[in-house]
Structures are given as C-alpha cells and as structure tokens.
Amino acid sequence: MKVELVTSLKRRATEIIRDLNKKHEPVLITEHGKPAAYLIDVQSFQEMTRKTELLEGLARGESAINQGRVVEQREAKERMKKWLA
C-alpha cells in the first residue's frame, strides 16, 4: 500500500489521484507520522459499499432466523407479489 504525507497530497493531489485510479490501490495519508485517512478510488469504494450492504443483509436475515421471525415459502411468495405489484 502506498503511503503519502498529507502535505504531499496537498502538493501533488492530481498525480496521486491519477495513480490511484490507474492502480486501484488505497493510499494511506499520514499526518505528523500517524495514519490520518485512506484515499481510495470511486470504483473500489462502490464495490466495498455493495459488499457491506450484502453482509448487513445477511446478518439481518440470520438474526431474523435466530429470533424465529420466519414464514413459509408460500406466504413469502404472496407477500412478495403484493410488495412488487
């Protein structure tokens, strides 16, 4: 992973972003020698967001099963028909 100082980001933002979009590799931005932020390209951010949403949905489903909040397939189909209509 590439590491850049916050001052370098200020001076060379265009170059750093161009390289980021080309390599799709996150850039760790440091300030006073400590991690301050990560810079990632839009495509990678969108992919991470979709994956996170999927994992959250799976966790909600698993929680519903554990709590007994389930319905039979027939009833689920009926609910979906009404919902999608």
Side-chain angles (χ1 to χ4, degrees), residues 56-72:
E56 288 171 349
L58 290 171
R60 283 192 305 272
E62 187 175 58
S63 176
I65 291 169
N66 291 336
Q67 294 173 10
R69 295 183 293 122
V70 296
V71 296
E72 292 183 11

Side-chain angles (χ1 to χ4, degrees), residues 1-18:
M1 174 182 317
K2 190 172 181 181
V3 178
E4 292 285 349
L5 300 171
V6 71
T7 53
S8 297
L9 178 61
K10 290 176 184 177
R11 286 191 310 257
R12 301 181 13 241
T14 303
E15 176 188 338
I16 292 169
I17 291 171
R18 186 178 337 118

Side-chain angles (χ1 to χ4, degrees), residues 25-71:
E25 180 183 352
V27 178
L28 174 60
I29 307 299
T30 61
E31 187 172 29
H32 305 295
K34 296 181 181 177
Y38 283 100
L39 185 61
I40 62 171
D41 63 281
V42 172
Q43 180 182 349
S44 295
F45 177 79
Q46 290 171 338
E47 288 173 5
M48 282 188 346
T49 301
R50 280 192 294 272
K51 288 175 185 177
T52 300
E53 289 170 352
L54 177 61
L55 290 172
E56 288 171 349
L58 290 171
R60 283 192 305 272
E62 187 175 58
S63 176
I65 291 169
N66 291 336
Q67 294 173 10
R69 295 183 293 122
V70 296
V71 296

